[in-house]
Amino acid sequence: MTDRKDELAANLAKVERRIADACAAAGRARDEVTLIVVTKTYPASDVRILAELGVRHVAENRDQDAAPKAAACSDLPLTWHFVGQLQTNKVRSVVGYADFVQSVDRSKLVTALSKEAARTGRELGCLIQVALDAGESARGERGGVAPGGIGELADLVAAAPGLRLDGLMTVAPLTGEYAGRERAAFERLVVLSTDLRRSHPAATMVSAGMSTDLEQAVAAGATHVRVGSAVLGVRPRLG
Ligand SMILES: *Cc1c(COP(=O)(O)O)cnc(C)c1O
């Protein structure tokens, strides 16, 4: 194996162990939690190595980086998740490679995604990004809709041609009542997911937890964790 492959294999094994331990501690089966590796800022060659090591879900947050990377990796058996703030002028590109958009947070974006998915005959999985640091009806600093806005947006996604409502996503807030309380934030997301499933029973995905807080997310009931730096290394720049 190359040095990089050794390094990624070792990091993946550590993350896998953490997820397995967190599942065991929570009395959950390991297969209730899916690992998504966030490959942002890292090259397509790393994505290829990850696929060889058995990774099946990858995530990106900027279309400029993701589009060429996904194109270079289109022969690999990967599911691509888009997890960044998404401008409507990038929708055409993103729908070209993404299987899931986890950062749906406003009606204008729903309309644009639906139009493009329908035009290309694709079905796009959508998660509503919830901002737990926003006021009840505002939008979060880093994207996301406040809890009070989930219902309306969910109905819109569910009714939109080409879109499938799959669940909720959040990023642990840095400010507000949940700052520094990742476990409580993720438990709140799970409660919101339970509410959502009363009207949308198939929206079962709960995407929460990153490199530093995946244990709290698994404990709270997350179905998907999004791990970047613990697998690939600390990113040189914020990304
Ligand atoms: C970068 C990113 C992650 C992964 O963060 P790490 O701390 O590197 O694990 C997860 N989710 C989103 C939305 C991200 O932008």
Side-chain angles (χ1 to χ4, degrees), residues 27 39 56 71 77 79 83 91 121 133 136 138 166 171 184 200 235 237 239:
T39 49
R56 289 296 170 262
T79 296
V83 299
V91 157
D133 54 356
E136 263 310 297
D166 283 331
V171 177
H200 299 283
R235 287 176 294 276
R237 289 179 291 110

Side-chain angles (χ1 to χ4, degrees), residues 16-219:
E16 176 52 44
R17 162 60 53 184
R18 287 175 58 194
I19 296 172
D21 286 350
C23 284
R28 303 181 65 193
R30 171 63 189 88
D31 66 7
E32 289 177 40
V33 179
T34 300
L35 169 65
I36 302 170
V37 178
V38 184
T39 49
K40 65 188 183 195
T41 77
Y42 286 94
S45 54
D46 280 352
V47 178
R48 194 161 285 279
I49 293 171
L50 290 168
E52 285 167 14
L53 293 170
V55 168
R56 289 296 170 262
H57 292 265
V58 293
E60 289 282 331
N61 75 333
R62 292 181 66 220
D63 177 61
Q64 300 91 299
D65 296 337
K69 217 183 287 186
C73 295
S74 61
D75 59 314
L76 301 174
L78 291 170
T79 296
W80 290 80
H81 299 253
F82 191 86
V83 299
Q85 290 189 49
L86 180 52
Q87 305 304 319
T88 49
N89 64 354
K90 303 288 188 202
V91 157
R92 176 162 290 198
S93 174
V94 169
V95 172
Y97 57 84
D99 300 288
F100 292 87
V101 171
Q102 297 204 1
S103 43
V104 175
D105 62 356
R106 59 199 191 281
S107 57
K108 203 177 146 198
L109 185 55
V110 174
T111 308
L113 288 169
S114 172
K115 196 174 153 199
E116 186 59 16
R119 191 186 70 83
T120 54
R122 293 188 57 132
E123 185 178 69
L124 186 67
C126 292
L127 279 70
I128 297 187
Q129 183 179 347
V130 181
L132 293 170
D133 54 356
E136 263 310 297
S137 57
R139 285 185 53 220
E141 282 283 305
R142 291 174 298 166
V145 65
I150 296 171
E152 197 182 326
L153 210 48
D155 290 346
L156 210 57
V157 171
L163 306 186
R164 189 182 65 237
L165 179 68
D166 283 331
L168 300 180
M169 180 271 249
T170 203
V171 177
L174 299 173
T175 58
E177 61 171 315
Y178 290 107
R181 300 171 57 225
E182 291 85 3
R183 172 84 183 255
F186 299 148
E187 283 174 347
R188 173 93 169 106
L189 187 71
V190 169
V191 168
L192 294 167
S193 165
T194 305
D195 289 347
L196 175 67
R197 277 179 283 125
R198 288 202 189 95
S199 39
H200 299 283
T204 54
M205 288 173 66
V206 179
S207 174
M210 316 200 302
S211 291
T212 57
D213 53 21
L214 72 88
E215 282 85 0
Q216 288 91 325
V218 171

